[in-house]
Amino acid sequence: MAKLFINCRQAHWLLSQQCDTRLRWYERLALRIHLRACDWCSIVARNFAYLSRAARHLDR
Amino acid sequence: MDQKNTAQEIAGLRTTLLRVARLQLRNDTWAEDAVSETMVAAIEGLAAFDGRSQVRTWVIGILKHKIIDQFRRRSREVSMESQQELADGDALEDLFDHSGHRVAAPLEWGDPEANMSRGEFFAVLQACIDQLPAPLGRIFLLREWLEFDTSEICKEMKVTSTNCFVMLYRARLRLRECLDLNWFAGEGAPHHG
């Protein structure tokens, strides 16, 4: 059975995967539950989005 | 459009193109090859350039294709480096405690627009990418700068999809830590209100 309660390491992994592929439903759910409770991982989620956006402008 | 002026503008872009190619390819010879091929293609294609985009944007678009061509030619070497990188130990484990929770708070980076207009920010980002092991830097740029799908990246770098995701994960975490340390925690970042 898929785990719904994940730690920060697993959340970081899913946050990165989410940048590259569609997560499975239970992964999205586990990540959402974790992000609700974890401000630090929520910051990392925003950092990853920022990084992705910045990289697209690297040839400026 | 004056083709002579455009050709001069293309020639003036050489330093920029080399910087971009070196960042992506991590190899001076490959970068020189990609830039030379780009400039030849641009000069030969001048008649087809319709002037709707800036010359710089057009030439960098050509360079991206030439970088991809270099990847294809060098895929065996890149693949071997990738496997070595995956076999290396991972310092990123220090970010988490024994139960898998973060040991330190990441910094909030604030409004992207505040930094995107600053050249110094991109210099720091580029330096952080340069510090990554070469395969991680390449795969990150293939994904985020050249906007390849992961399936294409796996094919180009001859790695499994699992390895591909692991490498992207490591690249993002290392870059995040590097920017925290070298930009957002220092004097470079604008203050958030």
Side-chain angles (χ1 to χ4, degrees):
Chain A
M1 183 171 163
K3 275 171 61 178
L4 280 184
F5 297 98
I6 58 176
N7 60 31
C8 296
R9 185 195 281 117
Q10 292 162 327
H12 280 46
W13 166 250
L14 291 179
L15 285 171
S16 176
Q17 280 229 300
Q18 189 175 245
C19 299
D20 306 313
T21 190
R22 184 168 169 76
L23 299 180
R24 296 180 181 92
W25 69 268
Y26 54 85
E27 292 170 330
R28 290 200 301 275
L29 182 59
L31 186 57
R32 191 175 296 178
I33 291 169
H34 184 86
L35 293 180
R36 279 268 173 108
C38 182
D39 290 342
W40 290 1
C41 285
S42 299
I43 292 174
V44 170
R46 289 193 288 277
N47 292 165
F48 279 178
Y50 193 129
L51 194 53
S52 179
R53 193 165 165 192
R56 280 168 172 71
H57 293 96
L58 259 177
D59 52 34
R60 273 187 180 182
Chain B
M1 170 151 299
D2 183 341
Q3 290 197 357
K4 189 179 168 195
N5 284 345
T6 309
Q8 282 174 346
E9 197 176 337
I10 292 168
L13 286 170
R14 186 179 155 75
T15 308
T16 305
L17 297 177
L18 262 179
R19 179 180 61 79
V20 172
R22 281 195 185 115
L23 176 67
Q24 174 68 43
L25 292 164
R26 307 299 187 86
N27 179 301
D28 286 350
T29 308
W30 302 1
E32 291 275 356
D33 287 351
V35 170
S36 300
E37 289 172 17
T38 299
M39 296 188 76
V40 168
I43 300 290
E44 285 178 352
L46 264 182
F49 177 59
D50 57 15
R52 277 186 295 187
S53 59
Q54 289 184 344
V55 172
R56 188 178 189 279
T57 307
W58 174 60
V59 174
I60 285 181
I62 297 172
L63 177 64
K64 286 183 177 183
H65 288 287
K66 298 301 176 189
I67 287 172
I68 292 164
D69 288 346
Q70 285 293 322
F71 264 116
R72 290 190 174 130
R73 277 179 223 154
R74 319 286 184 174
S75 59
R76 183 198 286 268
E77 293 156 71
V78 171
S79 176
M80 284 175 63
E81 287 176 7
S82 307
Q83 300 304 328
Q84 282 167 7
E85 166 57 27
L86 285 171
D88 286 348
D90 200 341
L92 293 169
E93 283 305 301
D94 293 345
L95 292 175
F96 307 101
D97 65 18
H98 67 280
S99 64
H101 290 286
R102 271 195 81 96
V103 294
L107 294 177
E108 183 67 75
W109 291 357
D111 175 19
E113 291 309 318
N115 286 308
M116 299 285 176
S117 56
R118 299 184 65 181
E120 307 100 298
F121 170 74
F122 288 100
V124 173
L125 175 57
Q126 185 174 320
C128 287
I129 295 171
D130 284 341
Q131 284 172 25
L132 290 175
L136 294 194
R138 283 196 197 105
I139 203 165
F140 176 78
L141 289 168
L142 278 172
R143 175 74 191 117
E144 301 285 18
W145 181 57
L146 294 175
E147 300 182 50
F148 269 46
D149 287 336
T150 45
S151 58
E152 293 174 289
I153 296 172
C154 296
K155 203 168 121 191
E156 293 301 330
M157 294 188 73
K158 293 188 168 51
V159 293
T160 65
S161 60
T162 304
N163 286 355
C164 199
F165 288 129
V166 169
M167 290 168 77
L168 285 164
Y169 166 71
R170 290 182 181 176
R172 288 191 180 101
L173 278 192
R174 288 186 191 204
L175 288 174
R176 210 213 64 76
E177 296 305 311
C178 182
L179 284 174
D180 250 13
L181 190 66
N182 294 296
W183 180 261
F184 292 98
E187 301 271 311
H191 297 287
H192 308 301

